[in-house]
Amino acid sequence: DAGVIQSPRHEVTEMGQEVTLRCKPISGHDYLFWYRQTMMRGLELLIYFNNNVPIDDSGMPEDRFSAKMPNASFSTLKIQPSEPRDSAVYFCASSTWTGAGNTIYFGEGSWLTVV
Amino acid sequence: QQQVKQSPQSLIVQKGGISIINCAYENTAFDYFPWYQQFPGKGPALLIAIRPDVSEKKEGRFTISFNKSAKQFSLHIMDSQPGDSATYFCAASILTGGGNKLTFGTGTQLKVEL
């Protein structure tokens, strides 16, 4: 399997611009997670979906952030308008229940810099 | 509220030595305790995990020790190698009943020197 695929890998944008991060989960996985990683706050869960339905978005920092999962193979995280404090690495991850449990697999991240 | 506290923040170990990273949690409902390994420029990857019904789990050079009464768990890396140099995160979640919403510790940067 190709693993969790994220795009873009790197993005530099100006403050006020819209940013869209994309994720393709591992085929067959029914849970999808968006995490944000910063030096100050570590790894934070922003939102997660089960079967394309948002289950918990309590980690979404504010209304400028939105996430969608229109189908089982695609999700987006959008920031509009972006601010310098949004600069971070955004990870998408996916999982499913198996006999061994529910292992979460992370993508390689989207490195966002807002200037 | 930080629900998973991790220490130390950084660790330097000589090749062949034992690396020990500790975590403590607050929420007694947590029932799944994984450790993730992250290399620079990569996403975290599951290293080893434990459920609270056992006190120890070993996989190769990696061992998790779990103390339910103290609400603490630790990662031991035996015979540490330079290739083990990475950031290690402990995490905890409530696995039973659905999703696996991980709460991560703050991470430990491990450097294994020759």
Side-chain angles (χ1 to χ4, degrees), chain A residues 37 45 56 97 102 104 108, chain B residues 36 38 42 95 98 100-101:
Chain A
Q37 185 175 36
L45 177 64
D56 185 344
W97 280 97
N102 187 326
I104 294 178
E108 296 203 327
Chain B
Y36 277 77
Q38 185 178 28
K42 301 293 185 180
L95 196 61
N100 189 358
K101 180 180 170 182

Side-chain angles (χ1 to χ4, degrees), chain B residues 32-54:
Chain B
Y32 177 67
F33 303 90
W35 285 88
Y36 277 77
Q37 180 188 56
Q38 185 178 28
F39 292 104
K42 301 293 185 180
L46 178 68
L47 187 63
I48 187 173
I50 198 168
R51 302 295 302 273
D53 53 342
V54 297

